[in-house]
Amino acid sequence: MKITVLAGGVGGARYLLGVRHWLQDSDGGDPAAQLTAIVNTADDLWLAGLRITPDLDTITYALAGVNDTTRGWGRAGDSEVVNGELAAWGVAWPWFTLGDLDIAASVARTAWLRDGVPLAEVVARLAARWDVGARLLPATGDEAETIVHLAQPTDDGRTELHFQEWWVRYRAALPAASFEVRGAAEARPSAGVLEAIAEADVVLLAPSNPVVSIGPILAIPGIREALRDTPAPVIGASPIIAGSVVRGMADACLTAIGVETSADAVARLHGSRTTGGLLDGWLVDTADADVVEGLVADGIPTRAVPLWMTDPATTARMVDAAISLAG
Amino acid sequence: MKITVLAGGVGGARYLLGVRHWLQDSDGGDPAAQLTAIVNTADDLWLAGLRITPDLDTITYALAGVNDTTRGWGRAGDSEVVNGELAAWGVAWPWFTLGDLDIAASVARTAWLRDGVPLAEVVARLAARWDVGARLLPATGDEAETIVHLAQPTDDGRTELHFQEWWVRYRAALPAASFEVRGAAEARPSAGVLEAIAEADVVLLAPSNPVVSIGPILAIPGIREALRDTPAPVIGASPIIAGSVVRGMADACLTAIGVETSADAVARLHGSRTTGGLLDGWLVDTADADVVEGLVADGIPTRAVPLWMTDPATTARMVDAAISLAG
């Protein structure tokens, strides 16, 4: 079975581990040939002259099994020699730490990008050292980054921030008025993205942040249309359980765009495919079983199953529910 | 006393430590205000998308007291995490190792350069963390790099190599036909270089490689002319002692340009200022006392003094001899 997943960072990585596990265990196939992840690139940034791609790195490291599971980001066993030096020279952001292994990846990536290598090929080269068991495609190789427009200016009078500054420095605590994926209108999907959607047997939306992870993927011209046109069913999983975010600060993002932090509000944000929306199906956690009936009535087939992605085998059962919902 | 020194890498660094020592000890002044080093930039290179400046780094680290004196290059106590990763990805050159602290400096430098900051300002920013006690000026902020034209092609058919590849990878063992500072004709001296020569009380040539360290500085249009026009005496020190190089592989460079590896041949390469050359004076080692008479007869006032730069105090005595030769 060919599965294409739209994914953000940590949540996307955990979900992909489950999808890969499901393909190996229940489908008996070769995930490397069957699993394609279309990864959010709107968190990316230039920092100290290096191109940083947080979601792609998080997913690559997790699938490679070299991620730091304690810290939740970066590579296991990393040091911070270079970061300390950059801080001493006042280069980069003091609140944005990169490990030496991370920086090595960024140096290699930046060197290849500056040589004209497309980001999708860069991602493949970086991942080739490991057996990631999936094809990783950046949503776009063009620079289209999330800018947060603030409800109130910062103390130093700024009215907008790069997503990373808002997220990492301010912990999403500054109320956002809106999110803009700057450059999205001119961005093109990476080579293979539209085909991966068109030729999939099923398209899954990881339970990533719907506003700043899944949203920016959909903002790349052509991707939403491909999702509408694909014969494959599109099945999502709620990033909200019992009115709370599973991880991260998606509630701050949902509030900013006027969407309630609930499993059914996110489904309605995506909409039913029968009425021009995205979804052929939606998974909510068993704690949210009460919203199933309403969503089904609104044309979104929904099931309540456990959504906590505690380990790949558990996550695989959630993927199994999505596949069975896809029919 | 205002002293301007033309310098290359390790030899230049040792010499500058001696000049700084002399200024503090014998002149009683503030070296930071009196000592200017014009540093060779023709060894510089782009590697893994980073701008590497070996001679500037070597001199900065040595004057800052953070250099690795055992290894002879890079910073003390450095690790090689990033370098190992770049090697695993096949980025950079496997025979060219950079420490993590080195790479941090290169990341900062490259970020600033790409922001349009001139190299001279970049060098000042990098050095500002330490009390280097000198003003360090790159000969040029433009890219003008030494290319070695080979007498015979390499096994893979190349007829020219970047200086670093010839020097570090092949240990200068491939016979060179000639050296070219590619880009020199269009390069401009860094801001302050011509003034530092014009306004000096004395200009000193460090006993650096005359062909690939001092030579490329002189190849930047305007610098040779400034040396001819300055009222300051120009005093050099031989990098050759008793027919052998003090360090490095200058003999391979001298042979390639048809110059004997001897203290007097290098002096004659530079030439007497009375006949349109560079030198108002020349120091040879006591082991080469027999060449003094001949050089003096050729219009190059010469003294034989100990030239082994074993420590800054010893080197300061050699500087003292140069200053006294300057009159």
Side-chain angles (χ1 to χ4, degrees), chain A residues 47-50 61 75 78-79 81-86 88-91 100-101 103-108 110-112 114 125-130, chain B residues 47-50 61 75 78-79 81-86 88-91 100-101 103-108 110-112 114 125-130:
Chain A
L47 192 63
L50 300 175
Y61 299 160
R75 280 180 57 187
D78 209 348
S79 49
V81 172
V82 175
N83 202 81
E85 291 293 295
L86 295 179
W89 276 308
V91 178
D100 293 323
L101 298 170
I103 286 188
S106 298
V107 169
T110 306
W112 287 324
R114 292 205 189 271
R125 289 187 189 181
L126 287 172
R129 273 174 73 184
W130 301 292
Chain B
L47 192 63
L50 301 175
Y61 298 161
R75 279 180 57 186
D78 210 349
S79 49
V81 172
V82 175
N83 202 82
E85 291 293 294
L86 295 179
W89 276 309
V91 179
D100 293 322
L101 297 170
I103 286 190
S106 297
V107 169
T110 306
W112 286 325
R114 293 206 189 268
R125 289 187 189 181
L126 288 172
R129 274 173 73 185
W130 301 292

Side-chain angles (χ1 to χ4, degrees), chain B residues 207 237-241 246 283-286 305-310 318:
Chain B
S238 175
I240 308 296
I241 295 180
V246 173
L283 297 182
V284 298
D285 188 73
T286 46
V305 297
L307 290 192
W308 291 98
M309 301 186 286
T310 46
M318 163 183 169

Side-chain angles (χ1 to χ4, degrees), chain B residues 102-125:
Chain B
D102 263 335
I103 286 190
S106 297
V107 169
R109 173 171 41 246
T110 306
W112 286 325
L113 288 174
R114 293 206 189 268
D115 274 351
V117 179
L119 181 59
E121 166 66 16
V122 167
V123 169
R125 289 187 189 181

Side-chain angles (χ1 to χ4, degrees), chain A residues 172-198:
Chain A
L174 299 180
S178 63
F179 299 90
E180 172 197 358
V181 185
R182 190 164 289 167
E186 298 78 36
R188 296 146 301 165
S190 287
V193 162
L194 299 183
E195 295 77 1
I197 293 170

Side-chain angles (χ1 to χ4, degrees), chain A residues 66-234:
Chain A
V66 298
N67 56 316
D68 186 324
T69 51
T70 309
R71 200 170 49 171
W73 56 270
R75 280 180 57 187
D78 209 348
S79 49
E80 293 175 8
V81 172
V82 175
N83 202 81
E85 291 293 295
L86 295 179
W89 276 308
V91 178
W93 289 333
W95 42 266
F96 195 86
T97 304
L98 285 168
D100 293 323
L101 298 170
D102 263 335
I103 286 188
S106 298
V107 169
R109 172 169 43 244
T110 306
W112 287 324
L113 288 174
R114 292 205 189 271
D115 274 350
V117 179
L119 181 60
E121 166 66 16
V122 167
V123 169
R125 289 187 189 181
L126 287 172
R129 273 174 73 184
W130 301 292
D131 179 19
V132 296
R135 182 170 59 136
L136 306 181
L137 294 179
T140 178
D142 298 319
E143 292 178 22
E145 300 170 12
T146 300
I147 303 297
V148 183
H149 295 275
L150 301 172
Q152 305 286 339
T154 59
D155 288 346
D156 56 348
R158 289 181 296 162
T159 56
E160 61 177 51
L161 297 173
H162 187 284
F163 172 75
Q164 290 291 350
E165 183 168 6
W166 182 71
W167 191 255
V168 178
R169 181 178 188 182
Y170 293 107
R171 309 285 307 154
L174 299 180
S178 63
F179 299 90
E180 172 197 358
V181 185
R182 190 164 289 167
E186 298 78 36
R188 296 146 301 165
S190 287
V193 162
L194 299 183
E195 295 77 1
I197 293 170
E199 297 162 10
D201 294 310
V202 61
V203 175
L204 302 175
L205 306 189
S208 300
N209 189 314
V211 184
V212 294
S213 294
I214 303 297
I217 299 176
L218 303 173
I220 305 301
I223 292 186
R224 194 181 278 277
E225 294 71 12
L227 288 164
R228 282 184 188 153
D229 296 343
T230 181
V234 177

